[in-house]
Amino acid sequence: MRFSVILALLFSATEARAQPPDETACVSACRSSFQRVAFVDGDPHASFYGKSCQSRLNTQSLYICLDLYCGTYNVDKLNATCVEEYGEGLLPHSIVDGMDEDDIAAVTRFNETTFAFGSKVDGLLLVDEGSFKRWLDTIESLNHAHYYHSAYGWAMGYFWLVVVAIAMVSRAIDVCEARRGAFPRQGSMRRWLKRNVQTPSTLGRRCAQDYGGWATVPPRIQSLTIGAFVVLNVWCSVHGYKIVPHNIYWPTVSGQVLRYVSDRTGIISFANFPLLWLFGMRNNVVLWLTGWDFGTSNNFHRWVARVATVQAVVHSAGYTAKILQDGGWAYFASWLTRLFWCAGEMATIAMCAILGLSFYWFRRQNYERFLVLHVGLSVLVLITMLLHVSIFNGEYDALFWVPLGIWVLDRVLRLARVLLFSYTFYTQADVWYNDAADMVRIEVPLEKSWYGVRPGTYYYLSVLDDACFWESHPFTVASVTLAGDEKRPGLLETGESSPLLSAANDDGFTSGVKNVRGDFVTFLVRPYDSFTGRLKRRAEMASPKSVKLKLVVDGPYGGTLPLEKFDEVVFVVGGSGIVVPISYLEVLVASMEGKRASKVAIHWAVRQAGFATEVLQRDLLAAATSSNISLSVYHTGSDSTTRLESDPVAWYNARINATRTVEEALAAGEGSIVVVACGPARMADAARQATVKGMGRSDRRIEYFKESFQW
Ligand SMILES: Cc1cc2nc3c(=O)[nH]c(=O)nc-3n(C[C@H](O)[C@H](O)[C@H](O)COP(=O)(O)OP(=O)(O)OC[C@H]3O[C@@H](n4cnc5c(N)ncnc54)[C@H](O)[C@@H]3O)c2cc1C
Ligand SMILES: *[C@@H]1O[C@H](CO)[C@@H](O)[C@H](O)[C@H]1NC(C)=O
Ligand SMILES: *[C@@H]1O[C@H](CO)[C@@H](O)[C@H](O)[C@H]1NC(C)=O
Ligand SMILES: *[C@@H]1O[C@H](CO)[C@@H](O)[C@H](O)[C@H]1NC(C)=O
Ligand SMILES: *[C@@H]1O[C@H](CO)[C@@H](O)[C@H](O)[C@H]1NC(C)=O
């Protein structure tokens, strides 16, 4: 029901936006009937429309045709063209006023096959009635297709406008509830939506997990949106054609279909470009409006790209088939000498290449190689598309400029963010590597920053003095330490003052022995192969001291979840995902003192005991000052020597069962509860599924959030 209303709105909006045909079909049919001939008194270099202007014979013939076949008509459009091209308007109707019926009966009749193309004509002409009807059909068929080309091109934008509007309303409701303090119980309608549409994975339990290393499937709500978008695109590609039996331009049905469908898919594909760029950017208006995370936007980016690429392929294949049908390979070869044609082919090939190189497997193999190819090929696609549409005198150029504008704006905003964080562009940061923990700790001073750093946000870091200084990678804020803040670990005078110190720390960080310093933000980084690997090696050489590196910090991105508004918060995290609870801990503890959240449980699966101990001591325990915070560590590695167990910490040498953990948490308490997952895909999916199940069993207000460290 509701969906059909939305669809109806969508179509009426697009219909309203689409231009009416330039001229009435009748005027166009009369004018077009003279297309093949050249009146001797006309301008031999006249444009398609301008032909009627300078020639008295042509204009007289035109008026005769109009008077005979069209009833009332107006030639304003044609007149305007004449004024524009020749400085003077169309000759007035008075030039045929002196003709009587006999004169008109004596005018030479002709049809579309009478003259060879370009034949010189030195008298008046009148298209015969049968031919006129065929012209009229042809023009109407063409206008019909053009109308829908434009309407359906706009439909792409309107579709996402509707989606964004719905997302904004849903968000506004959440924000209002959060403002009021607590999250109330929800009505049955919203609970049903949350349980069946918003939260679950698309099918079964896989969501973050990939299918055989090739693809990941987004959550159900995104899949539904994407599904609707794909259906809309299929509809818009196959609907809105009027195939006529005697089309003068394309006499066969297959010719008409090939031409119209190729045009349509080409236009819609290009109309998808602005969306494609919009969803692909770091700085993205849609994200600000809807509060979507980058993963959501990224899924839309991918699907718009896939749809646009398929359309581009259909467009290219359709035109190729049409040309082969019309004139075989020799004719095809003649098209290859045209720049716009070759540019179009290149654009399609480049789009296919981008698609092929974006598969999950390839992205995982080497993210930087993926990114460089992705950006390079995207530039190529934009430029070749501009060349491709150069034949339309700028009609479609906006679809080049809008993506370019979005792109430039993104880069400008990135620069602005970097400068807002540090007015000297870069910041000298301390970087440590802890061998036992296999973890890199980055402390970035905030003295040059214009604003405060919020929990849960992430920043893109680049290392200026690195060989690959252009690479930037996202990392979540682990903690912010303010000068004079005694609670936080960064300001401990010496490491020994911590009662929890274990052997692991003796050769570990010496950052504890720092002098009092200004505010700084801490990032915890798990080293992998590439960027993070180089970071680790740089810091390892200086270990146990820190190395000073020039960091460019681009952020903040992402939002802060309103976790403190819930009565209970359950984190299910793995490995470096622990950064997320650390990030929120301070806010949560503060709100506990204000008697809001009453319980926080952190379940952390970790492979290296060294890593666990290090983070517990330096980041978690110091912040977990409230007795209502529980910490469970699930250690699965073999290095159990540095095991740490103290009051709020329960240490298990076992795998975490995310399903049971979440189930138990949901069953135990009452009031609102939020599950936050950040970690391996399998774990996040299990937590998601258990949450959805819990929504069915209990009438507590339950929310699920996933913070993704990958996309
Ligand atoms: C929003 C967000 C927050 C993050 N926060 C943290 C954090 O606080 N601590 C932490 O240790 N890690 C975090 N990560 C993960 C971290 O960004 C990657 O581990 C890092 O980029 C890997 O760099 P690399 O070149 O060494 O990776 P590689 O060895 O090349 O690849 C390792 C893995 O990381 C993925 N990856 C690499 N670069 C990127 C990138 N620029 N964007 C997305 N994925 C990438 C690759 O696909 C691969 O799966 C976060 C990721 C995201 C998306
Ligand atoms: C063409 O337009 C001009 C004004 O722009 C007008 O004066 C003239 O009458 C028009 N001619 C015809 C044939 O409509
Ligand atoms: C066009 O006119 C010629 C005569 O001038 C006639 O032989 C031919 O059949 C006509 N063609 C069509 C399609 O009506
Ligand atoms: C801990 O939670 C209980 C309710 O579960 C609450 O009464 C108490 O105030 C909380 N303690 C703190 C320190 O927040
Ligand atoms: C996890 O716990 C659930 C019960 O909550 C159980 O059904 C499932 O088998 C457990 N999984 C593993 C791997 O132990």
Side-chain angles (χ1 to χ4, degrees), residues 111-114 134:
N111 64 26
E112 68 268 25
T113 55
T114 312
R134 289 190 290 277

Side-chain angles (χ1 to χ4, degrees), residues 7-137:
L7 265 189
L9 278 177
L10 203 67
F11 283 112
S12 56
T14 58
E15 303 232 336
R17 183 59 191 75
Q19 300 292 321
D22 297 345
E23 291 176 294
T24 59
C26 192
V27 176
S28 190
C30 279
R31 194 174 46 70
S32 302
S33 67
F34 307 117
Q35 225 172 57
R36 299 173 70 91
V37 301
F39 288 95
V40 288
D41 60 346
D43 173 7
H45 307 295
S47 72
F48 182 68
Y49 287 94
K51 267 178 84 165
S52 315
C53 301
Q54 293 295 79
S55 161
R56 191 183 171 88
L57 287 174
N58 191 333
T59 312
Q60 280 177 310
S61 303
L62 180 67
Y63 282 128
I64 295 170
C65 176
L66 294 173
D67 289 341
L68 200 62
Y69 297 126
C70 293
T72 57
Y73 57 85
N74 87 59
V75 290
D76 294 348
K77 169 87 183 168
L78 197 54
N79 191 20
T81 308
C82 291
V83 172
E84 195 179 302
E85 287 194 16
Y86 294 97
E88 52 194 84
L90 198 64
L91 292 170
H93 188 270
S94 55
I95 58 172
V96 291
D97 284 352
M99 294 180 78
D100 60 20
E101 282 190 12
D102 292 342
D103 294 332
I104 290 179
V107 170
T108 313
R109 312 285 150 144
F110 77 110
N111 64 26
E112 68 268 25
T113 55
T114 312
F115 296 105
F117 202 87
S119 301
K120 292 250 186 279
V121 172
D122 60 358
L124 295 179
L125 288 182
L126 177 60
V127 68
D128 70 35
E129 193 162 1
S131 182
F132 174 79
K133 272 221 50 98
R134 289 190 290 277
W135 271 112
L136 195 60
D137 282 351

Side-chain angles (χ1 to χ4, degrees), residues 12 40 77 297 422 444 460 500 530 550 634 636 703 709 711:
S12 56
V40 288
K77 169 87 183 168
S297 169
S422 161
V444 187
Y460 289 86
L500 292 160
S530 171
K550 289 191 177 111
Y634 303 83
T636 50
E703 296 277 346
F709 275 11
W711 45 55

Side-chain angles (χ1 to χ4, degrees), residues 624-647:
T625 50
S626 168
S627 55
N628 283 356
I629 295 178
S630 68
L631 284 162
S632 312
V633 176
Y634 303 83
H635 171 236
T636 50
S638 49
D639 55 335
S640 54
T641 43
T642 46
R643 157 195 188 110
L644 176 143
E645 204 157 4
S646 78
D647 195 17

